[in-house]
Amino acid sequence: MSRVLLRGAQVVTMAADRPDAERLDILVDGDRIAAVHENIEAPDAEAVDLSGRIVIPGLVNAHLHTWQTALRSVGADWTLMEYLTHLHGECVGHYTPADMRIGTLAGALNQLNCGTTTLGDWCHNALSPEHADAAVEGLVEAGIRAVFLHGTPYRSPDTPHPLAEIDRLLDGPVRGHGLLTLGMALQGPQYSSPDTAVADFRAGAERGLLVSMHQSGGEPAPGWQAVRSAGLFGPLTNVVHGSGLPDDWIATLVEAGATFTTTPENELGQGHGAPVTGSLLRLDSAPSLGTDTDTAVPGKLLTAARIALAHQRGLDHDRHRRTTGLYADSPSVTARQALSWATVGGGEGTGTGRPGGPDRGGHAGRPARRRRPGTQPVAGARPGRHGPARRHRRHRGRDGRRHLAQTRSRAAHHRPRQGEGTAPGVRGTAAAQRPARRLPRLRPDRPVSPRRAGGRAR
């Protein structure tokens, strides 16, 4: 592979012993970051000028159900109970393996387009081996690094996770792909009987797999105590949402090394409960972030980071005013912390480790954006689009073209302004460097045709 030298960017490494941002050069050798420091000399490398741009670690979306992407925004006004009723009660049984592939592929491509380079794909609609294989195929086609968390639709609390399917995936579809690892999307202690929860956790531990589970609202079910008594909580335990867990339970899980993933926009909008961000921060811990479901919210992880940051700041400001009668002198949570939840925290939450950063010699999946005058690098970081633009073109004309066309149409509405996007000289950037499309003026008294709305009449 060729060597590429990225010159002059404001680099956000997220390393604890480094400044928030530094003007540095980055030498990429193949798919690895070989060196990061000032004034790198590499005559054999292709040089790309990134002056005026911000380079950040690849984002890690630690919790997303990509198989639902084809139903994007259908549940924008659903509560949690409506989501469970309509999607899991009415839709899941109608999914074919082809539906799983198309939804997963479109969801993964959209994540790449939003700057996500690693994905925790919580696939709890693997109705059959064919459904699971089709979802894996979608991830492989997209080219994203992912943890495929195998799950099934909601079932009896006494029904264990299908371990034969886990072993089949380990021995076949997942093993052959360097960008994929396998995990288990469990019903977990909350929705399984104590014996079943213990058996599922033990099966994951024996295989060295990440086990992830939902917990939304309500007191912990008896399964939680059973798993704790069995000593099965640990670093390969990931709790999604965590809403309703008392502080003593959160402290127990943090002490055991478990991770938490919060999906703040969806949790606040659907009624899961308040994000556990504050409880974790008080324990000197932190969450990873996810966007949960495209049926309800956009898939932009930096939006989730901003919502998590603003929500926690709002709670802290209100508490400070009620306690002291005064406004706070400084923010309780920083933008750097929020960005760490979307990067470093995501690596911990998915079990993939710290995202490839310049100080670690990691993979070279790092979004770059133009820095506007006066922009603070950490708070102003937004992902670029040059990699996904190539992937969208590559899949044109396949059997998923209708869903991917919808993905491209929506992505076009969010293209960078003229002059923004990828750096001059980067290959394959034509789609990213086009001026933003002019949207139609919508009038309530006049219907808009699909063609004028940005789609293609069919």
Side-chain angles (χ1 to χ4, degrees):
M1 293 185 178
S2 62
R3 285 155 57 91
V4 178
L5 179 60
L6 309 177
R7 286 198 177 280
Q10 287 288 327
V11 179
V12 180
T13 68
M14 298 309 303
D17 58 346
R18 304 286 288 266
D20 281 357
E22 306 166 77
R23 186 178 177 86
L24 299 171
D25 296 343
I26 303 172
L27 179 62
V28 180
D29 190 351
D31 65 350
R32 307 293 298 184
I33 298 173
V36 178
H37 52 78
E38 296 179 350
N39 303 318
I40 294 177
E41 294 297 331
D44 61 330
E46 175 190 359
V48 180
D49 183 14
L50 290 186
S51 299
R53 297 180 185 275
I54 304 167
V55 176
I56 66 172
L59 304 176
V60 182
N61 190 331
H63 186 76
L64 178 64
H65 308 295
T66 60
W67 63 272
Q68 300 175 3
T69 302
L71 299 174
R72 178 179 289 176
S73 299
V74 69
D77 291 326
W78 284 350
T79 64
L80 176 59
M81 293 310 299
E82 288 175 312
Y83 163 80
L84 294 173
T85 298
H86 297 313
L87 189 61
H88 291 278
E90 299 169 359
C91 292
V92 294
H94 297 284
Y95 265 72
T96 67
D99 296 327
M100 295 295 290
R101 174 189 161 271
I102 291 170
T104 302
L105 173 60
L109 288 174
N110 183 54
Q111 286 303 299
L112 288 167
N113 199 49
C114 293
T116 295
T117 58
T118 302
L119 174 64
D121 188 12
W122 228 87
C123 184
H124 58 339
N125 196 33
L127 296 164
S128 70
E130 292 75 23
H131 285 74
D133 289 353
V136 169
E137 181 184 351
L139 293 173
V140 171
E141 286 188 66
I144 196 169
R145 181 178 299 277
V147 180
F148 179 69
L149 292 149
H150 174 275
T152 62
Y154 292 107
R155 57 195 185 278
S156 164
D158 295 319
T159 303
H161 202 88
L163 297 182
E165 183 64 1
I166 292 296
D167 291 335
R168 184 189 71 82
L169 289 166
L170 279 173
D171 291 337
V174 173
R175 171 175 287 181
H177 302 290
L179 294 179
L180 291 187
T181 54
L182 184 67
M184 296 170 65
L186 302 181
Q187 288 197 156
Q190 191 68 13
Y191 306 110
S192 294
S193 67
D195 289 344
T196 301
V198 169
D200 286 346
F201 268 75
R202 184 166 285 122
E206 290 170 349
R207 291 161 176 79
L209 300 179
L210 178 74
V211 294
S212 181
M213 65 229 64
H214 286 130
Q215 160 68 24
S216 295
E219 291 294 316
W224 288 92
Q225 181 58 49
V227 175
R228 177 165 64 177
S229 298
L232 291 171
F233 289 125
L236 290 178
T237 302
N238 172 247
V239 180
V240 179
H241 308 310
S243 308
L245 284 176
D247 283 346
D248 60 336
W249 260 107
I250 294 176
T252 295
L253 291 163
V254 168
E255 185 177 356
T259 61
F260 284 80
T261 300
T262 180
T263 63
E265 185 171 6
N266 194 44
E267 290 167 1
L268 294 167
Q270 284 192 336
H272 292 255
V276 296
T277 308
S279 297
L280 294 171
L281 294 177
R282 287 190 289 273
L283 294 169
D284 198 26
S285 184
S288 55
L289 297 177
T291 56
D292 205 344
T293 172
D294 285 355
T295 64
V297 302
K300 296 183 176 181
L301 194 68
L302 286 180
T303 298
R306 292 187 182 103
I307 290 174
L309 177 64
H311 176 258
Q312 190 57 47
R313 281 179 173 177
L315 293 175
D316 294 341
H317 281 309
D318 184 64
R319 186 180 301 109
H320 185 84
R321 282 195 298 269
R322 285 187 284 105
T323 302
T324 67
L326 302 171
Y327 288 97
D329 293 330
S330 60
S332 57
V333 191
T334 66
R336 181 190 175 100
Q337 285 177 275
L339 185 58
S340 74
W341 306 338
T343 52
V344 179
E348 296 170 351
T350 57
T352 57
R354 193 180 190 278
D359 59 309
R360 295 269 304 233
H363 280 269
R366 305 170 60 77
R369 290 291 290 183
R370 182 176 299 280
R371 182 182 181 187
R372 295 180 181 177
T375 300
Q376 201 276 343
V378 173
R382 296 184 296 152
R385 306 176 187 275
H386 56 277
R390 292 195 296 272
R391 291 187 174 93
H392 280 307
R393 291 197 297 274
R394 185 177 69 194
H395 292 286
R396 186 177 298 166
R398 300 209 176 182
D399 60 351
R401 60 187 178 274
R402 184 182 301 270
H403 297 291
L404 292 178
Q406 293 171 354
T407 302
R408 287 195 298 268
S409 176
R410 289 184 176 90
H413 293 183
H414 300 281
R415 284 183 181 139
R417 297 177 183 175
Q418 189 168 8
E420 295 185 354
T422 52
V426 176
R427 293 175 180 150
T429 61
Q433 291 178 344
R434 295 191 191 106
R437 173 185 293 182
R438 184 181 297 278
L439 301 181
R441 297 181 63 184
L442 305 182
R443 292 177 51 180
D445 59 337
R446 182 178 301 176
V448 179
S449 70
R451 188 181 299 276
R452 284 201 68 214
R456 177 175 295 179
R458 295 186 181 276

